[in-house]
Amino acid sequence: QVQLVESGGGLVQAGGSLRLSCAASGRTFSMRAMGWFRQAPGKEREFVAAISWSGGSTNYADSVKDRFTISRDNAKNTVYLQMNSLKPEDTAVYYCAARSVPNWGVRTYDYKYWGQGTQVTVSS
């Protein structure tokens, strides 16, 4: 069993930055790929970014490429999402997710464990 707890969300003006953190429980964190997803009101949950078990491979949605960076610290059982140049359309609840395998996926059903989410609101 893996528990994920996100933090770092909040209200920011367009063009600003936020860093989300996701702390994971358990001793298997370093063997799992991790991902970030988001869900805006009235929309489906969508892929944002993912990272492999070692951090050596990452993937991003086109909408956030070159603005967001995913990283992980296996010694701290934590994955991060650095979000720069934020836009109002980035407003959503952001979810951290863990896979049962080392390599990343981009679909919600690729991930077995989910956090409770953290709200990110970008004002124009």
Side-chain angles (χ1 to χ4, degrees):
Q1 188 72 11
V2 176
Q3 292 186 326
L4 304 173
V5 180
E6 302 98 334
S7 61
L11 174 64
V12 64
Q13 289 189 332
S17 298
L18 282 175
R19 189 174 84 152
L20 305 184
S21 298
C22 173
S25 66
R27 293 176 290 178
T28 59
F29 176 80
S30 63
M31 296 188 290
R32 300 180 182 275
M34 301 294 295
W36 286 97
F37 289 75
R38 67 186 181 187
Q39 188 167 17
K43 295 188 176 181
E44 292 187 351
R45 193 168 298 189
E46 65 174 5
F47 170 74
V48 175
I51 189 166
S52 63
W53 67 279
S54 66
S57 177
T58 57
N59 191 34
Y60 297 91
D62 287 343
S63 59
V64 306
K65 203 169 292 184
D66 299 325
R67 298 189 298 122
F68 291 10
T69 302
I70 188 171
S71 61
R72 66 189 297 161
D73 185 338
N74 286 344
K76 295 182 178 179
N77 276 20
T78 302
V79 63
Y80 305 96
L81 186 67
Q82 177 66 45
M83 306 186 295
N84 298 329
S85 302
L86 282 160
K87 304 175 181 180
E89 52 262 45
D90 294 318
T91 295
V93 177
Y94 283 71
Y95 297 90
C96 172
R99 291 200 78 185
S100 297
V101 297
N103 298 316
W104 50 258
V106 300
R107 299 160 297 189
T108 56
Y109 57 80
D110 288 332
Y111 292 81
K112 184 175 182 179
Y113 302 102
W114 292 83
Q116 82 289 349
T118 186
Q119 176 71 47
V120 171
T121 303
V122 184
S123 63
S124 58

